[in-house]
């Protein structure tokens, strides 16, 4: 997933970043248990190199809690509508918490019926979908997760946006902690990469986005829409994901979704869809895991296009980045660290400890 590189960076150890973010959320009224869970999702995104969906979004969530559009202690309810399906109302809580609950319910339903599908409504921005996807994979199941956002992406052949960056995640468990994990937006980059570029004052690559006149731009502050990934293919996927996340849960879609960076007092009303397939209903789980790992190994033995290169399986770049950042620390943009220091003063928590 394309990311931006700040001109000024500070290195933070993962445990320090977790403690700091958890304290901020607790100070904002989130329970200690829920704050730790949300922080894990955010820091894991940074560890995996998906900085667009990591801790850089925390100031925005805190602003929305303050303005009342995100409930710090939501009432999340589940309605079981059939043997294999359920509808989860997120109570306008933090989306990370809502999708985590949806994934756990999907797993429980799949253990009963072989497959579990949970449609989500009344949620908010949920961060990286790899979290619910890998929760399901770690339970020995095939995982699927979808969500949507407000209009940010140009449909193929259009001059104005309709759908959001509408991501998808597919996961499958292997052996010894391995898992296939495809977590991707249906746009060439997430909108939050644009927001990170604005915060850090750096340009974006040509070909990511267009300005108000529909012309390509490298100035993130001028961006009005992002290109879909793969032209008509990403465009079509984005629209169908809106069907999964809006029409099943009877929520708003595309142009009708309240904007993430618009009125902070307006609830987002976001939807989602999380699915789990119990592979043991088809083949023994141990055999499935072994064959996934064998597939990964054969994939990795392919002749690379570049001398000395490697052919990486979906999810492997993120795992390699995670190993490196656990060892050497997580890089954060200097402007973000300044923002965190201001929040520490405001919420009366200890400042962020840097290396």
């Amino acid at each position: 997933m394309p990311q931006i590189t700040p001109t000024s960076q500070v290195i933070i150890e993962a445990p320090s970043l977790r403690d700091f973010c958890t304290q901020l959320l607790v100070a904002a009224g989130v329970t200690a248990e829920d704050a730790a869970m949300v922080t894990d999702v955010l820091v894991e995104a940074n560890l995996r190199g998906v900085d667009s969906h990591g801790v850089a979004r925390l100031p925005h969530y805190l602003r929305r809690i303050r303005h009342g559009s995100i409930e710090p202690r939501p009432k999340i309810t589940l309605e079981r509508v059939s043997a294999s399906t359920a509808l989860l109302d997120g109570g306008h809580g933090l989306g990370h918490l809502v999708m985590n609950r949806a994934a756990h319910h999907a797993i429980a339903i799949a253990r009963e019926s072989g497959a579990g599908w949970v449609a989500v409504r009344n949620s908010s921005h949920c961060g990286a979908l790899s979290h619910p996807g890998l929760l399901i994979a770690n339970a020995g199941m095939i995982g699927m997760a979808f969500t949507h956002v407000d209009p940010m992406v140009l449909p193929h052949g259009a001059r104005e946006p309709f759908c959001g960056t509408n991501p998808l995640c597919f996961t499958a468990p292997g052996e010894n902690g391995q898992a296939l994990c495809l977590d991707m937006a249906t746009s060439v980059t997430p909108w939050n990469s644009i927001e990170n570029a604005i915060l850090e004052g750096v340009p974006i690559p040509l070909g990511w986005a267009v300005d108000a006149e529909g012309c390509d731009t490298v100035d993130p502050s001028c961006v009005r829409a992002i290109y879909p990934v793969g032209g008509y293919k990403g465009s079509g996927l984005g629209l169908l994901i809106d069907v999964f996340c809006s029409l099943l849960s009877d929520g708003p879609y595309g142009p009708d979704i309240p904007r993430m960076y618009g009125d902070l007092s307006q609830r987002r009303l976001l939807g989602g869809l999380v699915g789990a397939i119990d592979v043991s209903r088809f083949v023994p789980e141990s055999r499935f895991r072994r064959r996934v790992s064998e597939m990964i190994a054969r994939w990795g033995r392919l002749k690379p296009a570049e001398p000395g290169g490697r052919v990486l399986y979906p999810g492997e770049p993120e795992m390699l980045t995670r190993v490196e950042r656990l060892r050497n620390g997580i890089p954060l943009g200097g402007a973000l660290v300044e923002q965190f220091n201001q929040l520490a003063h405001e919420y009366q928590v200890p400042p962020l400890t840097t290396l």
Side-chain angles (χ1 to χ4, degrees):
M1 186 180 294
Q3 304 287 321
I4 63 103
T5 302
T7 54
S8 169
Q9 290 188 330
V10 177
I11 305 299
I12 316 291
E13 289 184 323
S16 296
L17 191 55
R18 281 195 177 93
D19 290 345
F20 177 77
C21 293
T22 299
Q23 289 181 75
L24 279 178
L25 284 166
V26 170
V30 181
T31 68
E33 181 182 2
D34 288 351
M37 187 257 120
V38 172
T39 294
D40 277 344
V41 178
L42 296 176
V43 176
E44 274 297 315
N46 285 106
L47 283 172
R48 292 167 61 85
V50 189
D51 299 318
S52 56
H53 288 62
V55 299
R57 305 280 71 78
L58 182 56
H60 174 77
Y61 304 145
L62 294 173
R63 286 193 291 270
R64 281 197 167 272
I65 289 173
R66 186 183 304 134
H67 282 81
S69 59
I70 290 181
E71 292 290 337
R73 301 191 179 198
K75 182 181 179 182
I76 300 175
T77 59
L78 183 81
E79 178 187 0
R80 189 76 173 264
V81 293
S82 77
S84 59
T85 58
L87 179 62
L88 186 141
D89 190 306
H92 309 290
L94 287 157
H96 320 72
L97 179 62
V98 174
M99 293 295 274
N100 177 276
R101 296 275 182 90
H104 281 294
H105 285 303
I107 291 166
I109 294 170
R111 294 214 188 282
E112 293 178 13
S113 63
W117 288 95
V118 178
V120 172
R121 66 183 174 196
N122 291 330
S123 185
S124 62
H125 188 260
C126 68
L129 287 180
S130 57
H131 173 75
L134 288 172
L135 269 180
I136 296 168
N138 290 337
M141 301 185 182
I142 289 174
M144 285 166 274
F146 310 90
T147 190
H148 64 172
V149 289
D150 46 295
M152 303 174 177
V153 180
L154 290 172
H156 183 65
R159 292 182 61 85
E160 57 184 322
F162 187 92
C163 295
T165 55
N166 294 7
L168 57 86
C169 182
F170 298 127
T171 58
E175 292 182 314
N176 302 318
Q178 278 187 322
L180 292 169
C181 178
L182 175 64
D183 178 8
M184 55 170 274
T186 50
S187 54
V188 296
T189 190
W191 185 273
N192 289 325
S193 291
I194 307 297
E195 290 295 323
N196 286 1
I198 294 172
L199 176 63
E200 300 297 337
V202 296
I204 60 172
L206 191 66
W208 274 15
V210 299
D211 60 18
E213 304 302 320
C215 301
D216 282 7
T217 181
V218 297
D219 183 347
S221 64
C222 292
V223 171
R224 294 297 177 268
I226 307 172
Y227 285 113
V229 67
Y232 68 90
K233 296 180 180 181
S235 179
L237 277 173
L239 182 61
L240 267 295
I241 289 170
D242 242 333
V243 172
F244 297 163
C245 299
S246 301
L247 305 190
L248 280 181
S249 55
D250 199 23
Y253 65 82
D256 301 327
I257 297 173
R259 292 186 177 274
M260 181 170 180
Y261 298 103
D263 182 354
L264 297 182
S265 66
Q266 187 176 19
R267 299 196 189 277
R268 299 295 311 288
L269 306 175
L270 295 184
L273 182 65
V274 180
I277 299 174
D278 186 353
V279 298
S280 68
R281 301 298 182 104
F282 300 86
V283 295
E285 182 186 330
S286 58
R287 175 171 171 77
F288 182 89
R289 286 181 177 272
R290 184 174 67 252
R291 297 196 71 200
V292 167
S293 289
E294 289 172 355
M295 179 185 290
I296 287 172
R298 291 182 67 181
W299 181 277
R301 290 195 295 268
L302 292 171
K303 184 177 179 180
E306 299 293 333
R310 288 182 56 201
V311 182
L312 304 178
Y313 63 84
E316 190 175 10
E318 294 84 352
M319 291 307 298
L320 292 173
T321 301
R322 188 178 191 276
V323 169
E324 187 273 327
R325 290 189 172 185
L326 279 173
R327 181 174 61 247
N328 298 322
I330 296 171
L332 297 182
L336 176 60
V337 173
E338 288 183 15
Q339 197 173 51
F340 277 154
N341 289 335
Q342 293 171 2
L343 287 169
H345 176 74
E346 181 180 340
Y347 284 89
Q348 298 183 334
V349 303
L352 186 60
T353 302
T354 63
L355 291 179

